[in-house]
Amino acid sequence: MSWCASRRRKGSYSLRVNYAEGAREACNFGCIGKLLMAYLDEEESKRLVLDGHVKRFTSRTVLDFDTLKKEWARIRLRGWIYSNGEALDGVKAVAAPVRDYSGGVCAGLGVTFPAILLPKSRVPPVVKAMVKAANALSLQLGFKDRRASNSKIGKRYGG
C-alpha cells in the first residue's frame, strides 16, 4: 500500500543515522521492530524469538523472551518506545504505534538521533511529538479510539 512507503528526512547536522530504504533486518531491529513485536499476538512474538528471528546488534540488545515480554508490556502500557543503543551503538530512538481503522497496530512512526543529540532532557518533548504525529496518522487511517492520545510520557524513558 502506498501509505506504508518509507519517508525520510535528513537532519541539518553532519552526524547522521542512515537506513537504506527497503532493507530487511531481524524483526527486533530498532525501535520500530521492537514496537511492532510488542503489539503482535504473544504466541507469534514467542515463535519469532524462539525460532531465531531476533538478532543481537549491540551489547544492549535484549534477546531473552521473558525480558522482552516485560518490555513489550511496558511499551503497550506507555504507548511508545525509547531505545538507547539497542540497534546501533551511539544511537537513541523514539517511536509510537500507528493504528488502522480496526484499532490494530499496522506501523510505527519513529525518529533516530545520534546519542549526543538526544540528552535525557529532550526525550519527553520528542516522545510527545512522536505520539501526537502517530495518533494523527492513525486518525487518517480511520482509527477512532481517543485513548491513544493519553500515553504516559513523563520521565519513564530509561537512560
Side-chain angles (χ1 to χ4, degrees):
M1 299 180 162
S2 61
W3 59 266
C4 289
S6 174
R7 303 244 187 237
R8 297 185 297 172
R9 288 192 58 137
K10 292 183 180 178
S12 59
Y13 295 95
S14 58
L15 183 59
R16 295 185 182 149
V17 175
N18 288 308
Y19 301 102
E21 285 189 43
R24 295 180 61 93
E25 294 287 350
C27 59
N28 65 320
F29 184 74
C31 259
I32 300 294
K34 198 169 190 179
L35 176 88
L36 294 176
M37 287 186 75
Y39 287 95
L40 286 177
D41 173 75
E42 186 176 321
E43 286 303 311
E44 179 67 9
S45 295
K46 184 175 184 177
R47 185 190 64 76
L48 289 169
V49 172
L50 298 179
D51 288 352
H53 294 282
V54 295
K55 177 180 162 186
R56 178 168 306 284
F57 299 101
T58 73
S59 62
R60 293 179 182 226
T61 305
V62 177
L63 298 177
D64 174 69
F65 178 72
D66 291 329
T67 304
L68 283 168
K69 189 175 167 182
K70 290 175 187 172
E71 289 185 13
W72 295 332
R74 191 169 46 248
I75 292 165
R76 289 188 303 270
L77 178 67
R78 292 191 307 200
W80 54 271
I81 180 175
Y82 166 80
S83 173
N84 182 0
E86 292 179 47
L88 298 167
D89 285 320
V91 174
K92 293 181 181 180
V94 172
V98 175
R99 296 176 182 276
D100 63 16
Y101 66 93
S102 72
V105 173
C106 62
L109 183 64
V111 61
T112 58
F113 291 86
I116 194 169
L117 298 178
L118 188 62
K120 286 183 180 184
S121 63
R122 287 193 58 206
V123 173
V126 171
V127 168
K128 186 175 182 178
M130 282 295 96
V131 169
K132 183 178 179 179
N135 288 345
L137 186 54
S138 296
L139 289 173
Q140 290 179 14
L141 296 176
F143 182 60
K144 303 288 186 212
D145 190 343
R146 296 288 181 176
R147 288 178 290 172
S149 62
N150 295 330
S151 297
K152 296 167 183 64
I153 295 171
K155 293 189 175 192
R156 302 163 91 187
Y157 55 82

